Amino acid sequence: MHGKRGEKLIQVRDNLPTQEKLVAYLKKKTNAKTLANSTDLKLSKIEHWFRSDESGFSYPSVEDWEKVREFIDDWSEEFEEIDRGLLDYELKSDAIKSKTLIGHELQKQCDCKTNETKAGTVLDPFAGSGTTGIVADHRNRNAVLLELSEDYIKIAVKRIKKEVGTLFLNLNIIRKKDD
């Protein structure tokens, strides 16, 4: 996370049409080459809007959609629905919403069961007293815990050793310049 986190606004589009619906409509009305020849957009960019596979598909940005919509608009309800979904956006901060989970709440959030054999690693960038590490162990997961406070690191190490019995510890303490 960077120091400027939370200072930028991002466009969030919650009402996008489904990929299947958008691709079918575009293919029915036009093709990527025609749209590229009619606008200043690159063909390679527009081609992604026509893709049926998930990995190669991308939605047009609001700005790009505004450049091509007049060439696709057939005055139908279907177009209106797709158009509304592609143009509807909300500006939100890029800040991360924090959520505090303690003990049993964290266990409820864990999407795994103790008897599962799948491996995994949990990252907790604000480890505090080590609860995430303990819960991860109970759920047969590894955990990487990060904590700035040396006091909390000592508490976490003590708790994890007591609860789990073993602890593989790679302790790197990085101090600020003025410490």
Side-chain angles (χ1 to χ4, degrees):
M1 291 189 290
H2 55 81
K4 300 279 186 190
R5 186 96 188 168
E7 294 182 8
K8 294 181 182 175
L9 292 178
I10 55 173
Q11 284 183 351
V12 177
R13 299 190 292 172
D14 292 327
N15 300 315
L16 290 169
T18 64
Q19 175 184 351
E20 183 180 330
K21 186 173 195 164
L22 177 61
V23 170
Y25 184 81
L26 288 174
K27 286 182 176 180
K28 183 170 57 173
K29 296 297 171 190
T30 190
N31 61 60
K33 193 170 187 176
T34 301
L35 290 177
N37 289 336
S38 304
T39 65
D40 64 344
L41 298 172
K42 292 183 179 182
L43 176 61
S44 59
K45 182 183 230 183
I46 296 172
E47 287 174 331
H48 289 280
W49 309 345
F50 287 80
R51 303 269 308 250
S52 296
D53 59 302
E54 287 185 32
S55 63
F57 172 78
S58 67
Y59 285 98
S61 68
V62 171
E63 296 78 16
D64 290 345
W65 181 250
E66 287 175 338
K67 292 178 181 180
V68 301
R69 61 193 292 262
E70 68 180 280
F71 302 105
I72 304 167
D73 188 354
D74 62 357
W75 304 97
S76 68
E77 285 184 31
E78 185 179 18
F79 173 80
E80 292 299 320
E81 183 181 336
I82 290 170
D83 190 52
R84 265 193 315 275
L86 289 170
L87 293 177
D88 181 34
Y89 68 90
E90 186 177 346
L91 291 176
K92 293 186 178 182
S93 164
D94 68 341
I96 296 175
K97 292 181 180 177
S98 63
K99 184 175 182 180
T100 303
L101 300 176
I102 303 171
H104 67 280
E105 294 172 319
L106 182 62
Q107 289 179 10
K108 287 181 198 174
Q109 293 292 320
C110 187
D111 64 351
C112 51
K113 295 182 178 137
T114 307
N115 59 359
E116 284 186 0
T117 57
K118 285 198 284 184
T121 301
V122 177
L123 170 65
D124 185 354
F126 309 102
S129 62
T131 303
T132 300
I134 294 166
V135 173
D137 180 74
H138 292 326
R139 301 294 190 193
N140 295 324
R141 299 296 190 262
N142 294 318
V144 175
L145 309 177
L146 307 174
E147 179 55 56
L148 290 175
S149 167
E150 290 182 51
D151 292 334
Y152 275 111
I153 292 170
K154 290 173 188 171
I155 293 168
V157 168
K158 186 176 178 180
R159 282 189 68 217
I160 293 169
K161 280 183 178 177
K162 180 181 176 190
E163 288 277 332
V164 176
T166 60
L167 178 68
F168 295 100
L169 185 63
N170 180 1
L171 187 59
N172 291 313
I173 299 176
I174 301 170
R175 290 180 168 56
K176 295 179 195 172
K177 284 184 179 180
D178 36 350
D179 280 352

